[in-house]
Amino acid sequence: MATLVQSLQQVGDEIALCRYPGAVIETLHAAVRPTLNVLGAWRVPRRYEDWSAWRLNYNVFCHRDLPATFFDAWLVGAKENGQSAIAAMATREGRSFTWSECMREVNLSAKGRWVFDDLLFKYGMRDGFCCPIGPWILHYWSNKVLDLSPAMRRSLSWAALTAVDRLTDREREVLRMYAIGSRARTIAYALKISEDTVREHLRHAMIKLDARHLGHAVNLAYHGGLLD
């Protein structure tokens, strides 16, 4: 565990160099292996039950080793049973916790256990560590029950925050300025970056949002709550 803490202390610089969400998730995953795995980072829409707003590679970024069926299985379960116990606890308390702590602290009905019995356990995920960060939730997972020290919890939470910031902040900042009428030269001057870098951030934002053009990207980002 001490080695993992040291690894997490160094991962911030590596994450800062990542250019795409997949690279951020992969870098964090490599830092916590073999003790833990990274499931992914999810940005909760303004209305949780707006199922069309949950989109892979838009506001849901999963690790590449996760089975392709995982997200679809989660979506089916959420539609049938509602917000999971983990998501409810993350929203209610806004602090990091293990999945096993959630199971112990929340009086779950049979229906309330769906996320554990019908999803996580079936994919070999015995326990995990949930890190709520504003509207985002980043999950680590393990095939064993976790016993994390306070130092480990702090390190994992800090690394999750670093990853989530890198997933969105600069592209969102540039897109927000573009949305209010600023152009590349103005944005570059304000952020002390080159115009080429501004255009690259806008291009990445379009890719992440699966947008046809920049106006479409602004519209998608606005309705997805990314420009708040």
Side-chain angles (χ1 to χ4, degrees), residues 75-137:
L75 191 58
V76 169
K79 287 180 179 179
E80 291 180 353
N81 301 290
Q83 187 181 40
S84 72
I86 295 174
M89 187 169 178
T91 300
R92 182 176 66 253
E93 302 194 12
R95 63 174 178 84
S96 299
F97 55 89
T98 65
W99 299 348
S100 54
E101 287 168 347
C102 179
M103 284 187 282
R104 289 196 299 269
E105 294 179 17
V106 179
N107 185 19
L108 298 178
S109 63
K111 185 177 181 179
R113 289 186 57 90
W114 74 265
V115 71
F116 302 107
D117 296 338
D118 299 337
L119 183 67
L120 300 175
F121 295 166
K122 287 188 176 181
Y123 283 88
M125 301 177 184
R126 181 63 185 86
D127 203 351
F129 190 58
C130 174
C131 298
I133 306 161
W136 286 86
I137 300 175

Side-chain angles (χ1 to χ4, degrees), residues 13-105:
D13 291 339
E14 298 177 32
I15 287 176
L17 299 175
C18 296
R19 299 180 64 185
Y20 299 101
V24 173
I25 298 298
E26 179 60 34
T27 299
L28 182 57
H29 181 77
V32 300
R33 292 287 295 155
T35 306
L36 292 170
N37 307 273
V38 173
L39 191 158
W42 308 50
R43 190 186 197 282
V44 181
R46 293 179 179 178
R47 189 169 67 86
Y48 192 92
E49 295 80 11
D50 181 6
W51 306 119
S52 63
W54 295 92
R55 295 170 54 193
L56 276 172
N57 303 318
Y58 170 54
N59 59 352
V60 177
F61 301 100
C62 295
H63 187 263
R64 65 183 182 182
D65 288 346
L66 207 64
T69 55
F70 183 88
F71 175 71
D72 291 338
W74 171 84
L75 191 58
V76 169
K79 287 180 179 179
E80 291 180 353
N81 301 290
Q83 187 181 40
S84 72
I86 295 174
M89 187 169 178
T91 300
R92 182 176 66 253
E93 302 194 12
R95 63 174 178 84
S96 299
F97 55 89
T98 65
W99 299 348
S100 54
E101 287 168 347
C102 179
M103 284 187 282
R104 289 196 299 269
E105 294 179 17

Side-chain angles (χ1 to χ4, degrees), residues 151-164:
M152 177 60 64
R153 289 169 182 262
R154 288 192 297 269
S155 295
L156 290 169
S157 297
W158 175 85
L161 174 61
T162 302
V164 166

Side-chain angles (χ1 to χ4, degrees), residues 198-209:
V198 169
R199 296 188 184 95
E200 190 74 357
H201 285 314
L202 290 172
R203 186 177 70 84
H204 290 166
M206 287 177 57
I207 292 172
K208 290 180 182 180
L209 295 169

